[in-house]
Amino acid sequence: DQQVKQNSPSLSVQEGRISILNCDYTNSMFDYFLWYKKYPAEGPTFLISISSIKDKNEDGRFTVFLNKSAKHLSLHIVPSQPGDSAVYFCAASSYANTGNQFYFGTGTSLTVIP
Amino acid sequence: GAGVSQSPSNKVTEKGKDVELRCDPISGHTALYWYRQSLGQGLEFLIYFQGNSAPDKSGLPSDRFSAERTGGSVSTLTIQRTQQEDSAVYLCASSFTLSGEGADTQYFGPGTRLTVL
């Protein structure tokens, strides 16, 4: 049962344009969300997080938006750079509901074309 | 500062053999997680250690899988009588604490790619 879904396995964007990566979840108890970036042959690295008390969190070129009513979050990268090409995973958790488990999506492979 | 390290980076084994995968978390991190990523799948939670508490084993797929964390630091994931479906990348992550935004950030190791022939 996939509680966190990333329905787009891949995305291609021109350098300088905006990249929008989407993530949907089914468990309404999730209250903490993270995005990770993964390069080939490396472990995922933390990118940005958001808790359910917020609907937006910004860090430089990266902004995460949370729509709790739609159970949807998105990661915006602007402007996109070739070095952003990687696989992006979203993850969600609720300590009160799911304990120590973080649920990850299947990832979206982003390619930024120079 | 050293990150999370895992060994071996690659392991090829024959079906039915036991394997041990090692994780060295970041010094001072109290929480340690094991995940696996099978081809085309997301990261699948396996087990979680927090300090000296009993581990959360709810993600282990079968009783062939077990893990230990000695002295609150190094962890070993053991897979007994390996099967071909165990082939995956096994990732270890550590974090400082479970509470508070940002404090739960997990730092991942590079993973161990396990291939069961």
Side-chain angles (χ1 to χ4, degrees):
Chain A
D1 179 28
Q2 195 75 20
Q3 297 199 41
V4 176
K5 300 177 183 179
Q6 293 175 258
N7 292 319
S8 297
S10 63
L11 174 68
S12 291
V13 171
Q14 207 70 31
E15 180 178 5
R17 307 295 290 267
I18 185 171
S19 296
I20 300 177
L21 298 102
N22 293 304
C23 180
D24 296 288
Y25 59 95
T26 58
N27 189 338
S28 59
M29 297 295 289
F30 286 147
D31 56 12
Y32 187 56
F33 306 88
L34 309 95
W35 283 93
Y36 285 84
K37 179 167 77 170
K38 184 181 184 303
Y39 292 116
E42 296 182 11
T45 56
F46 170 76
L47 195 56
I48 192 169
S49 66
I50 190 168
S51 73
S52 58
I53 61 173
K54 297 182 179 179
D55 54 19
K56 175 183 174 181
N57 189 25
E58 196 171 349
D59 183 3
R61 296 185 297 112
F62 302 91
T63 303
V64 56
F65 294 92
L66 176 62
N67 183 333
K68 291 185 287 294
S69 61
K71 297 193 190 70
H72 177 84
L73 67 155
S74 60
L75 174 68
H76 292 211
I77 307 172
V78 54
S80 302
Q81 300 174 354
D84 297 329
S85 297
V87 177
Y88 290 79
F89 292 95
C90 66
S93 76
S94 165
Y95 183 64
N97 179 243
T98 61
N100 306 309
Q101 288 201 31
F102 281 78
Y103 291 85
F104 285 77
T106 52
T108 296
S109 178
L110 172 66
T111 301
V112 179
I113 304 164
Chain B
V4 177
S5 61
Q6 292 185 246
S7 60
S9 56
N10 278 286
K11 177 71 177 178
V12 180
T13 190
E14 293 180 348
K15 177 182 173 181
K17 295 285 180 67
D18 298 351
V19 295
E20 283 189 355
L21 312 179
R22 177 187 169 105
C23 172
D24 283 88
I26 292 173
S27 178
H29 279 190
T30 57
L32 186 147
Y33 302 76
W34 282 98
Y35 296 88
R36 72 176 174 183
Q37 184 177 18
S38 303
L39 192 63
Q41 302 294 316
L43 290 166
E44 176 189 3
F45 168 82
L46 297 177
I47 189 169
Y48 164 83
F49 296 89
Q50 171 66 37
N52 296 320
S53 302
D56 179 351
K57 304 178 182 180
S58 57
L60 294 178
S62 78
D63 58 8
R64 296 186 295 105
F65 288 74
S66 62
E68 291 184 341
R69 189 178 184 193
T70 55
S73 181
V74 172
S75 177
T76 302
L77 176 70
T78 301
I79 309 173
Q80 296 178 308
R81 304 181 303 281
T82 53
Q83 304 294 313
Q84 288 181 333
E85 60 263 28
D86 299 334
S87 296
V89 175
Y90 288 81
L91 289 156
C92 172
S94 69
S95 68
F96 176 65
T97 184
L98 193 57
S99 61
E101 183 174 353
D104 302 329
T105 299
Q106 295 177 43
Y107 296 85
F108 282 81
T112 294
R113 181 175 297 278
L114 174 66
T115 303
V116 182
L117 301 176

